[in-house]
Amino acid sequence: MGAQQRVFKQKIRSTSSLRKIFKAMELIAASRIQKAIARSQSASPYANALTRAVSAVASESNVDHVLTTEPESVTRAAVLVIGPDRGFAGAYSANLLREAEELNRLLRSEGKDVSLFTVGGKAKNYYTFRDRAIEQSWTGISEMPTPENAREIGEALLQSFNSDSAQTGVDEIYIVFTKFVSSVKHDPEYRRLLPLEVVDADEVATGGTSEPAKDAAAFPLYEFEPSAEAVLDSLLPRYIDSRILSALLSASASEQASRQAAMKTATDNADDLIKTYTRLANTARQAEITQELTEIVGGADALAASSAGD
């Protein structure tokens, strides 16, 4: 075997090994997408009921609550960036971080300091590499987030929101995540969590899908016991947790969908490379065979001419 054939054979073997890895990751991501969508849908009834309850309290009472009242001046804002822990997801991380940077520039242009909170190793590494201070980060939860994870993040954000410290206290809280629309469409976006902006129940529960809410009827009249303030104190932290969990589940499904698409493309590219290297190896083999035949024929002609001369 010639040198060129050995090179192409080695490339074919290495590309075939990578193809097996890409195909396995594609199948794993495909199975996890369905699980992530199912988890998001299973959380919908609770999120729907909680959203309607908070909306009722916020709309039917005239209570000035710290979580629903706009501050007179905003000097510091917290930004929670929900990213992946692993790569191999195409432009998923890049698009998310680009959206986060756009929000950071917007806040700074308004004269606000930004306090960063991150979910996922990619977002943490991005800001750490650029020497950007991170108040708190959570890793290892992007693919399988739990209500406990959402509660922990929500408590940290609420603690920062309720803090009077000029160094750690914030006046607004934003969340940056990737909204899952379908297996082929998932868009990064940012939303303001606090001061509270009550959204439609179906948007909270499904992460922004277009299906209408089943319970979209007008709010009935309510009486609050013991008081509207106490009800808000109890409901709003849970509402924030449900919003964060919804964003985590939507980001998880988006991550798996992006990874499946990226690994599908990588597998197809590996197939094309294998075909190309195989064709080049065959061409090199044919060239070597042709050269060997030419040398044999030339040698035979030389021997024949030598014999004729004798």
Side-chain angles (χ1 to χ4, degrees):
M1 182 184 296
Q4 283 188 326
Q5 285 194 64
R6 284 195 295 270
V7 171
F8 290 131
K9 293 292 184 182
Q10 177 61 34
K11 289 183 177 180
I12 291 173
R13 286 194 295 269
S14 61
T15 305
S16 298
S17 299
L18 289 175
R19 184 194 179 282
K20 293 178 182 178
I21 297 174
F22 296 152
K23 188 62 177 179
M25 295 182 68
E26 176 191 351
L27 295 176
I28 292 172
S31 65
R32 289 180 176 177
I33 289 175
Q34 302 305 320
K35 294 179 181 179
I37 295 175
R39 294 183 67 204
S40 179
Q41 292 176 345
S42 66
S44 297
Y46 173 77
N48 280 336
L50 186 58
T51 299
R52 284 188 58 80
V54 174
S55 299
V57 180
S59 60
E60 297 296 330
S61 65
N62 296 321
V63 176
D64 291 332
H65 196 275
V66 65
L67 300 183
T68 59
T69 304
E70 291 284 346
E72 295 181 358
S73 63
V74 179
T75 59
R76 190 176 181 86
V79 176
L80 173 66
V81 182
I82 301 179
D85 284 298
R86 299 189 298 122
F88 296 99
Y92 173 75
S93 297
N95 292 337
L96 173 75
L97 294 171
R98 188 181 300 113
E99 188 76 7
E101 287 298 278
E102 179 181 342
L103 174 60
N104 290 337
R105 285 193 296 269
L106 175 62
L107 294 176
R108 291 193 177 94
S109 67
E110 296 174 353
K112 304 173 185 177
D113 294 330
V114 177
S115 180
L116 286 171
F117 295 79
T118 63
V119 173
K122 290 295 182 180
K124 178 182 178 181
N125 294 339
Y126 176 84
Y127 292 113
T128 301
F129 180 77
R130 288 161 176 77
D131 294 327
R132 304 270 291 277
I134 299 176
E135 297 297 331
Q136 196 167 347
S137 62
W138 295 267
T139 57
I141 65 174
S142 66
E143 294 189 17
M144 294 290 291
T146 64
E148 289 74 19
N149 300 138
R151 187 176 303 112
E152 180 181 354
I153 297 171
E155 289 175 353
L157 292 175
L158 285 175
Q159 181 179 0
S160 180
F161 185 80
N162 292 326
S163 175
D164 295 330
S165 172
Q167 299 296 327
T168 60
V170 298
D171 304 304
E172 289 180 328
I173 296 178
Y174 291 84
I175 183 171
V176 186
F177 69 104
T178 304
K179 181 177 68 174
F180 179 82
V181 180
S182 66
S183 297
V184 296
K185 182 176 176 59
H186 20 85
D187 304 318
E189 67 174 34
Y190 60 83
R191 297 176 181 175
R192 193 179 76 165
L193 283 182
L194 294 176
L196 186 63
E197 291 181 347
V198 179
V199 298
D200 292 338
D202 60 329
E203 182 179 354
V204 175
T206 63
T209 58
S210 59
E211 293 185 3
K214 296 180 180 179
D215 53 352
F219 291 136
L221 296 178
Y222 286 93
E223 291 184 0
F224 305 109
E225 179 68 30
S227 64
E229 294 90 336
V231 173
L232 280 175
D233 288 338
S234 177
L235 287 181
L236 282 175
R238 292 174 172 81
Y239 177 78
I240 296 300
D241 293 348
S242 71
R243 290 287 302 272
I244 294 175
L245 179 61
S246 176
L248 288 171
L249 293 174
S250 181
S252 175
S254 300
E255 177 185 351
Q256 299 303 333
S258 298
R259 182 168 292 117
Q260 181 193 19
M263 292 301 98
K264 177 67 167 59
T265 302
T267 302
D268 294 341
N269 291 338
D271 290 334
D272 293 339
L273 280 175
I274 291 173
K275 292 178 181 178
T276 301
Y277 290 144
T278 301
R279 183 168 58 250
L280 291 174
N282 292 336
T283 301
R285 179 173 176 270
Q286 291 173 357
E288 291 177 2
I289 293 174
T290 302
Q291 182 179 358
E292 291 175 358
L293 290 174
T294 302
E295 292 174 352
I296 292 173
V297 172
D301 290 342
L303 287 175
S306 177
S307 300
D310 294 341

